[in-house]
Amino acid sequence: DKIETSSREIIDKTGDVVWAANPANDSLKNLLLRIESYSASVLGAAGIQFKIICDEKLSESFLEMDERKNLFLICKEAIHNIIKYAQATEVLISFTKTGGHLKLLITDNGIGFQHRENAYNGNGLKNMKARVEGLKGTLNIHSEQNNGTSIEIVV
């Protein structure tokens, strides 16, 4: 079982890197499609409703390889955490442009968690923080017990 699980994880991670490296996937629109496909498979299987919002004009924006790879992996990590911990029934993923920067907001209606600024206890949050720092962006997490969590990334 461990070998099968590890092999599947390696194949998934390799597929993510190959997808991100392909210059044909350089628009935000392609990233949205990848996030939607992933969300449908894992959130759908968990019975969690989701919605992805992005202005059509913004979706044509160009993304560098590191941007699309790290934004996708951040989304995957957030979705994984939602499924594992949040007990959410709804997830919203939105992309907007603010002050010349791309903003990704991932929110859920789950149970929330105790979060202290700059206290990244689990590997998931540490990985998200490192990815955002690699993009020279900012990460803000707001969570209230019984009132959901929002993760905001600005790059």
Side-chain angles (χ1 to χ4, degrees), residues 38-154:
Y38 179 76
S39 297
S41 67
V42 295
L43 290 172
I48 300 171
Q49 298 292 316
F50 73 95
K51 186 174 186 177
I52 300 173
I53 299 173
C54 182
D55 178 78
E56 183 67 32
K57 185 177 178 185
L58 180 60
S59 73
E60 298 303 324
S61 300
F62 172 83
L63 294 175
E64 296 286 343
M65 180 180 72
D66 278 349
E67 291 174 314
R68 61 184 179 264
K69 177 186 82 166
N70 286 313
L71 289 172
F72 178 67
L73 293 175
I74 289 167
C75 281
K76 277 183 74 171
E77 190 67 55
I79 290 167
H80 173 79
N81 287 346
I82 290 167
I83 291 169
K84 191 170 180 182
Y85 304 112
Q87 299 176 24
T89 58
E90 297 176 358
V91 173
L92 174 65
I93 301 169
S94 68
F95 285 87
T96 56
K97 194 87 164 190
T98 179
H101 297 279
L102 181 64
K103 180 169 111 174
L104 165 61
L105 183 64
I106 305 165
T107 60
D108 70 61
N109 69 343
I111 61 171
F113 65 98
Q114 186 86 21
H115 177 71
R116 295 183 322 271
E117 193 62 36
N118 296 322
Y120 297 98
N121 300 325
N123 285 329
L125 295 178
K126 287 178 186 174
N127 289 342
M128 281 189 234
K129 185 175 188 277
R131 290 185 187 289
V132 170
E133 286 174 351
L135 295 173
K136 297 179 177 44
T138 60
L139 170 67
N140 293 304
I141 299 172
H142 178 75
S143 187
E144 292 181 27
Q145 289 196 318
N146 301 316
N147 206 22
T149 300
S150 66
I151 299 171
E152 177 189 75
I153 295 99
V154 179

